[in-house]
Structure formats: structure tokens, C-alpha cells
Amino acid sequence: MGAPRRVVRRDPATEVRLFWAALPTEGRWLLSTVAIQTLGRGLTLPFTLIYLHEVRGFELGLSGTLMALIAVVGFAVTAPGGALVDRYGARAVLLVGLVAMIAGNLTLAFATTPAVAALALVLIGFNFGVSWPAFNALIAAVVTGELRQQYFGINFALVNLGIGVGGVIGGLFADVDRPGTFTAIFVGDALTGLVPLALLLGPLRHVHGRAGVPEDGSAPVSVGYLTILRQPAVRWLTLLTFVGTFIGYGQHEAGFPGFARQAAEVSTRTVGLAFAVNTAVIVILQFSVLNRIKGHLRTRVMIAMAAVWAVAWGLLGLAGIVPGGAVAVAGVLAYMGVFALGETLLQPTVPAMANDLATDHTRGRYNAITAAAFQGGAVAGPVVAGFLLEHDLAAAYIALMVAGCVAIALMALVLERHVPAAANGRPTAPEPVR
């Protein structure tokens, strides 16, 4: 992964203590509540479609269309959200998004008509679209330097932990024969939103995440999205993010489960267990991986991630060659475990690079571009997967995923030629004091 700087390797426990000690107080507050915030999302994420169709009695096609509102609205508001972050600050945008999320979940908990459910899902999608660039910008405003890459990685592990635990609790508690249990989990999701709300109104009320006025008193230069996208490094990072999401997260909701059931012919229990394996690997390995990639070029870490994902897709393809037996089950589970290892390489690098490319006055827009690329890949992924699997093109599906991994590696090499050294994880030596 490139010629690394000399880095002292320590055991994970020591690294955790040193990382926590190095964090500013605001960073500790942000990180300490992540798992609680996302636990509520885990309560409802796997069960929203079931709730709409089996509990509220909406037709399956209508329920799917309603669910799509989250992604569509999120994509539509991402760019305006990034601009608002740069103008009013990340904290202000996060507060608005959290209020929308709480209102959306409370509305959905008692929605008995498609119109009311649609309103609720629009509010949830609005929060999804504006909170991503705002939250990443707030992190970047609080945590700087090499700590930023570690922070994004650990934050990702805690998000997975919260969603995973929430999913287990929701699965044990929710019962379609008792509609009140579904009302309870959506109310629970809303209540967990009060944790970050209290954090932003309390200990973090002074961290606005907005760039200050230049020292010379002049107004900051307004930079639009087109200006930012004219930079080759931004364009290649955006394209890499889109392809990475298309062959990665964009397959989790449709492509992977569809292939596992149709081509590999494994049980739904195996599919559920595979997602548990994914969460466990991320939570267990993320800090060790952060320790290993410290000092390496981020573009080379991306290439390693692409290689790991190619192996993962190959394992899933093997499950489709020998369907219905122990080898298929092992291939499906191994796919999710190896894929998770690749995720631990991806998540610390892309957001850290995007924020290192940005200035304080453009951080919201840079994060919005990355978020839009992610959301675009998440929308396109299921569409392509559904078409290929519906037409019994399982082999072509796996081949396309592997080709995407090769494309990521090639794009990372091109990106390396354009991205500044500091944004690629290699800080330049400080100039001597004159």
C-alpha cells in the first residue's frame, strides 16, 4: 500500500487509550453517544417495509414506493443541505434534521393512511439527506490531523454496533400480530433522537461548525458546486465513491439477499446471520485496521479495499455455483465477513480525504458531494441487481461486481496523481520558522 512513514505499532487497547486521550472534549462527547443514536435506527431499519405492508395493510408495491421516498428526498436535499452547512453551520443544520427525524418517526408510528406515512418518510428522508454532510462537517471541525481518519473509522464501527444491536432488539420485540410493538419501536427510534439533540443544545452548543471570518475582515469567497467539481481530485473521489457504493452498500438491500436466496439457495436465517457476521467483523476489527493503515497512502488503502471486495464477491459467486448446501452457506457467510473487512478500509479513508480537500468555508459542500455520490450508488445498485437477477443472469451479476472492484483500484491510482499529499494521508513537512 505504498511506502509508509515509520509508525509505531501498539496493541489495540493502548491505541484506544491514546486515541481517547488525544481527542478534544467535544470529540469525546460526539463519539460517546453514537451507538445510542443509531440503536433507534436499527430498531426500525429492517422492519419498516414489513410494518407498512403487514401491519398497516398497504399493498407491497405501494409500500416499496413509500420506502423509496427516503432515498429520493435524501438525494434531493443533500446539495442544499451542504450549502446551508457552509452558511449557517453544521450544528444548526443537524438540529433541524433531528427535529424532522423525531417528527417523522412519531408520525410513522401512528400512520394509518398512505398519505400520512408518505409525510413521515419525507421527514425521515430530509434528515437523512442533510445530516450526513452536517455531521461529517461537524466532526471535521472538532477533530483535525491524523485523529480525523481514526475518528471516522471508529464512528463507523459504533454506527454498525448501534444498528446491529437495535436490529436484534427489534427482531425479538416486533410482532406483526401485535401492531403496538411496531408503534413502540418507531417511538423508540424517535426517542433516541433526543440524545444528539440534547448534546447539541447542551455540551456542544458552542461548536457551530461554521468557518469564521477571515483575519483581514473580508467576506469569504463563495464557492459553488461546479467550481468544486472542476477539481480532478474531487471528480475522481466522487466517481470512486459512487462505484464503491454501487458494488457495495447498494447491493446489501437487494442484490446480496436476492443472489443468496435465488442463486445460492440458502435460508433467510442464513441471510440474517450473514448481516450479523458483517456487523461483528466491523466492530471487532475496525480499530486494529486503523492501526495497520496508519501512515499509508489513502489511495493505496482504497486499492487494498478493492482487492478484498473482489475476493468477497468471488466467495459469493462460489456459493452460487454449488447452491443449497453447506458450501453455499459458508460462501454466503464468508462473503459478508470478508466484505466487512473491506468496509473497515473504506470508511476511514473517503470521508477523511474529502474533508482534507475542503476548506473551512466549503466543508459542507464537499461532504454533500460525497453523500450524493453514495446515495446515487445506493439507488442504482438495487435497480441493476434486480434486473440481472430477475433475468437469471447471476454469473453476469458477480462478474459486474468484480469488474467494479477493478475499476475502483484503477480510479484510486488516477486519484493518487491528483490529490494533494496531505489529503492522501501523508502530511507535508512543516516549513521552518523564519
Side-chain angles (χ1 to χ4, degrees):
M1 289 190 294
R5 304 190 307 276
R6 182 180 296 275
V7 177
V8 178
R9 305 294 182 191
R10 304 181 180 90
D11 63 273
T14 301
E15 285 288 343
V16 169
R17 289 195 298 270
L18 292 175
F19 169 77
W20 187 256
L23 280 179
T25 302
E26 296 84 358
R28 295 179 188 177
W29 273 114
L30 274 176
L31 197 60
S32 62
T33 59
V34 168
I36 298 174
Q37 297 172 35
T38 54
L39 185 144
R41 184 65 178 138
L43 284 174
T44 59
L45 181 63
F47 310 110
T48 305
L49 184 67
I50 296 172
Y51 168 70
L52 295 173
H53 177 53
E54 298 189 36
V55 176
R56 294 308 182 192
F58 304 158
E59 293 182 358
L60 187 58
L62 175 60
S63 299
T65 302
L66 289 171
M67 286 288 294
L69 285 174
I70 298 177
V72 172
V73 173
F75 185 82
V77 302
T78 294
L84 290 173
V85 167
D86 290 332
R87 181 164 186 174
Y88 297 106
R91 175 179 170 273
V93 175
L94 273 175
L95 285 171
V96 174
L98 283 168
V99 171
M101 185 274 289
I102 292 170
N105 276 296
L106 289 176
T107 302
L108 191 59
F110 301 98
T112 57
T113 65
V116 175
L119 173 62
L121 292 166
V122 165
L123 290 171
I124 293 171
F126 173 83
N127 171 66
F128 180 70
V130 302
S131 65
W132 186 329
F135 187 69
N136 280 359
L138 192 66
I139 291 173
V142 170
V143 185
T144 59
E146 198 168 71
L147 278 177
R148 186 179 288 167
Q149 176 170 290
Q150 291 180 288
Y151 191 105
F152 278 118
I154 294 170
N155 181 78
F156 173 66
L158 291 175
V159 166
N160 275 271
L161 177 63
I163 291 177
V165 172
V168 171
I169 295 173
L172 293 174
F173 182 73
D175 184 351
V176 294
D177 294 324
R178 295 186 295 144
T181 59
F182 280 84
T183 298
I185 62 174
F186 282 102
V187 171
D189 192 0
L191 292 176
T192 59
L194 296 176
V195 174
L197 197 67
L199 193 66
L200 293 171
L201 293 174
L204 297 180
R205 61 187 180 278
H206 301 302
V207 183
H208 48 69
R210 183 179 65 252
V213 178
E215 293 182 1
D216 59 6
S218 62
V221 178
S222 178
V223 178
Y225 282 105
L226 290 179
T227 301
I228 295 172
L229 286 169
R230 288 192 185 103
Q231 302 176 50
V234 175
R235 291 200 302 271
W236 284 106
L237 181 61
T238 302
L239 183 59
L240 188 152
T241 302
F242 173 82
V243 175
T245 306
F246 175 83
I247 68 167
Y249 302 103
Q251 302 306 321
H252 275 194
E253 292 186 8
F256 163 70
F259 185 94
R261 291 287 292 147
Q262 295 181 22
E265 298 179 7
V266 300
S267 66
T268 54
R269 179 174 296 181
T270 299
V271 174
L273 182 58
F275 279 99
V277 169
N278 179 270
T279 298
V281 169
I282 291 171
V283 172
I284 293 171
L285 293 185
Q286 182 67 84
F287 211 101
S288 296
V289 169
L290 285 169
N291 191 26
R292 294 299 304 172
I293 68 176
K294 187 186 300 181
H296 291 278
L297 293 176
R298 288 167 181 161
T299 47
R300 302 303 172 89
V301 175
M302 295 173 188
I303 293 171
M305 179 274 295
V308 170
W309 275 5
V311 171
W313 283 111
L315 290 169
L316 188 62
L318 176 63
I321 295 174
V322 285
V327 174
V329 171
V332 168
L333 297 180
Y335 159 78
M336 267 301 200
V338 176
F339 187 90
L341 175 61
E343 290 181 80
T344 65
L345 294 168
L346 176 69
Q347 288 299 326
T349 52
V350 169
M353 181 180 286
N355 279 280
D356 286 347
L357 284 170
T359 66
D360 290 342
H361 293 284
T362 59
R363 204 171 302 286
R365 289 175 174 86
Y366 274 78
N367 280 292
I369 289 171
T370 302
F374 186 99
Q375 291 163 4
V379 171
V383 173
V384 174
F387 176 84
L388 292 175
L389 294 177
E390 183 181 358
H391 291 82
D392 297 322
L393 298 172
Y397 171 72
I398 295 295
L400 178 62
M401 297 301 109
V402 174
C405 295
V406 175
I408 288 175
L410 294 176
M411 286 186 286
L413 288 174
V414 177
L415 175 62
E416 188 172 304
R417 297 202 299 266
H418 296 287
V419 69
N424 203 11
R426 172 133 340 143
T428 55
E431 295 183 2
V433 179
R434 299 182 183 277

